[in-house]
Amino acid sequence: PLLFNIYVNDQPISPNTRSFIYADDLAVASQNVDIDRVEVHINNALQTLSTYYSRNRLKPNPEKTVSCLFHLRNRDANRTLKLQWLGRDIAHHDAPVYLGVTLDRSLTYKHHIHKTCLKVASRNNLLQKLSGTNWGAHPHTLRTTALAICYSAAEYAAPVWARSNHTHKLDRILNQTCRQVTGCLKPTPISSLYVLSGIAPPSIRRTVTSMAEKKKQDTDPR
């Protein structure tokens, strides 16, 4: 993987675009008030990349490539980009997944949080089964397991979507996680759950994670 990253590190960046690359996953972005201009910029970028890939004996995959528009124009909610790569139309996706994060047109992260809720809820079921065993019901074991399988999934890429208006849906699922860790029933106040479990509330954990990521970016010499 390291040699591959070095080999493709000089991929061209076309005018009026930005490139985001992680291993073999490349995202090309363009910003403009005119959507038609965005189409022109990205089509030009795809053509430039095709030349680069051909020269370096690399094979792009248009079938796995998707496009998406990010904007707040409700009148253009159904607008799609007309892009072609190697003679094939690029499919449009209203909620593409990039590096494990589900995006949407207005960047509300509604779809991503919904998927995360389902994932954490299924892991809560595993935690519940563990709490019903003699060897797994110890509070320390439950807390460690909850942090490892539930909170790790709930906080993936949290600095990206932490300010979404839909985070309260995920918080309800994490409240259930803490109830299983502590053994408390529904009448127990939520604020007490996190004190008893020794786990900070989800909003605080997301804020701390976001601040840590911001500091990491601010102090990165690159």
Side-chain angles (χ1 to χ4, degrees), residues 185-201:
L185 301 178
K186 285 188 176 181
T188 305
I190 293 176
S191 58
S192 299
L193 284 177
Y194 292 98
V195 174
L196 292 171
S197 65
I199 301 174

Side-chain angles (χ1 to χ4, degrees), residues 82-94:
K82 299 176 181 178
L83 305 175
Q84 278 199 340
W85 198 9
L86 299 177
R88 299 182 182 180
D89 293 333
I90 298 298
H92 181 85
H93 203 307
D94 291 329

Side-chain angles (χ1 to χ4, degrees), residues 4 17 26 28 49 79 138 150 164 166 175 206 215:
F4 177 81
T17 66
L26 173 69
V28 179
L49 287 171
R79 175 75 182 269
H138 191 279
C150 299
S164 170
H166 300 276
N175 291 342
R206 287 192 295 266
K215 182 178 179 181

Side-chain angles (χ1 to χ4, degrees), residues 4 15 78 95 134 140:
F4 177 81
N78 297 322
N134 292 330
H140 177 73

